Amino acid sequence: MVKLVAAVLMVGLCGGPAFACRENEKSEDEDDDDDDDDDDSPRCERGEWSGPDVMHIRIHGPILTTRVREAPRVAMPPPPPPPPPRAPLPPRVAAAPMPPPTPPPPSYEAPAATTVYTVSQPREPHIGVGVRASALKIGRNGPDAAGVGALLRFRTRPIELELEVGRDEYQGDRSDTRLGATLYVPLVTGRWIPFLLVGTGVNFSYTGVTGDEVHQGFLAGGAGLGFQINERFALNLDGRYLLRETFEGGERDQAVELRLTGMVYF
């Protein structure tokens, strides 16, 4: 153990130093290797530090010794057991790709306001007036006649109805006045229009020499070709076969007629 040496008091007189000297004590357990020395007294006792201004102070008694006891050894607890092994991590699965963003809904521009104008179609002419010129022959050996007439037609698509009043002049002194009605049936439409026709009417025959007057009824049938110049003007050429019979005696005759007609529609 380390020996604690008590303080050496130094007192100085007149500025001179004072030394404290003590006798060295050796502990019992310390080996004395300096037994061969002749003088074991301290230097202060030997007068090495002497002088008029030196004062010697000797301190007797045991030196204060402090022993530090060792702390008792405590047994260390055993180390904790090792942690259990970790379970293996599941394999990483690649994340599904993100779906593409939903496209924005299509935008439609509102259509511009449309102004509708109603245009009335031009009215088709339905009424026509015209004239006809004709040549007529009765039987094989009968008299010939030339005639003219005024016509009134009503157009109801696809057919036309014609009313007629005319006069036929025969060679000699005979003249006939005719009242009739004819129905025209077109076969095709266009500028050139072939057609069929049927008709009926009354014929008043007057003979100037004898003054006889005969009343006849007739039926007519035939065909022809029309040319439509425009919506208002048309020309027709047709041939007819007439079967006539008198009301008084029942006499019959036959006639063939060729007719050219011009019409104006309104």
Side-chain angles (χ1 to χ4, degrees):
M1 293 299 291
V2 180
K3 294 181 180 181
L4 181 59
V5 180
V8 177
L9 179 61
M10 292 183 292
V11 178
L13 296 176
C14 299
F19 297 93
C21 182
R22 70 175 183 84
E23 185 178 359
N24 293 324
E25 296 182 357
K26 297 181 180 180
S27 60
E28 296 178 355
D29 54 355
E30 183 179 358
D31 296 332
D32 189 0
D33 296 333
D34 298 331
D35 293 342
D36 297 335
D37 295 341
D38 296 337
D39 190 2
D40 294 334
S41 61
R43 296 176 63 184
C44 59
E45 295 182 358
R46 292 197 303 268
E48 295 181 4
W49 293 339
S50 62
D53 296 331
V54 176
M55 184 175 57
H56 301 276
I57 298 173
R58 178 177 295 180
I59 299 173
H60 297 276
I63 302 301
L64 179 62
T65 302
T66 303
R67 294 180 179 269
V68 179
R69 296 182 179 180
E70 295 182 359
R73 294 184 178 182
V74 180
M76 296 297 291
R86 293 184 179 180
L89 297 177
R92 292 186 178 181
V93 179
M98 295 295 292
T102 303
S107 59
Y108 300 96
E109 296 183 359
T114 303
T115 304
V116 179
Y117 297 94
T118 302
V119 179
S120 59
Q121 295 293 333
R123 186 179 62 86
E124 184 181 14
H126 294 289
I127 299 176
V129 294
V131 294
R132 57 98 175 168
S134 62
L136 186 144
K137 182 177 180 61
I138 299 176
R140 292 183 178 181
N141 301 318
D144 298 332
V148 295
L151 308 175
L152 177 64
R153 284 189 185 180
F154 300 94
R155 177 181 287 174
T156 57
R157 291 293 184 184
I159 62 175
E160 294 186 14
L161 177 64
E162 177 185 271
L163 301 179
E164 172 193 4
V165 56
R167 186 175 179 85
D168 299 320
E169 294 289 340
Y170 290 89
Q171 294 176 356
D173 56 356
R174 179 180 172 178
S175 63
D176 292 352
T177 301
R178 189 189 313 183
L179 300 176
T182 304
L183 183 66
Y184 294 86
V185 181
L187 300 179
V188 297
T189 58
R191 186 174 293 272
W192 294 92
I193 305 173
F195 58 87
L196 300 177
L197 64 89
V198 291
T200 186
V202 179
N203 187 39
F204 301 95
S205 177
Y206 177 76
T207 303
V209 177
T210 61
D212 296 335
E213 186 174 346
V214 179
H215 303 89
Q216 294 176 319
F218 68 88
L219 295 175
L225 179 65
F227 177 68
Q228 191 74 31
I229 300 174
N230 53 36
E231 291 184 352
R232 295 186 177 273
F233 298 96
L235 294 175
N236 292 341
L237 178 64
D238 63 75
R240 305 184 183 201
Y241 176 79
L242 289 84
L243 179 61
R244 302 187 298 183
E245 184 177 352
T246 60
F247 294 143
E248 290 81 8
E251 296 180 0
R252 297 181 178 180
D253 62 18
Q254 301 174 3
V256 177
E257 181 181 20
L258 183 64
R259 177 184 294 198
L260 178 64
T261 302
M263 299 295 301
V264 180
Y265 293 90
F266 301 95

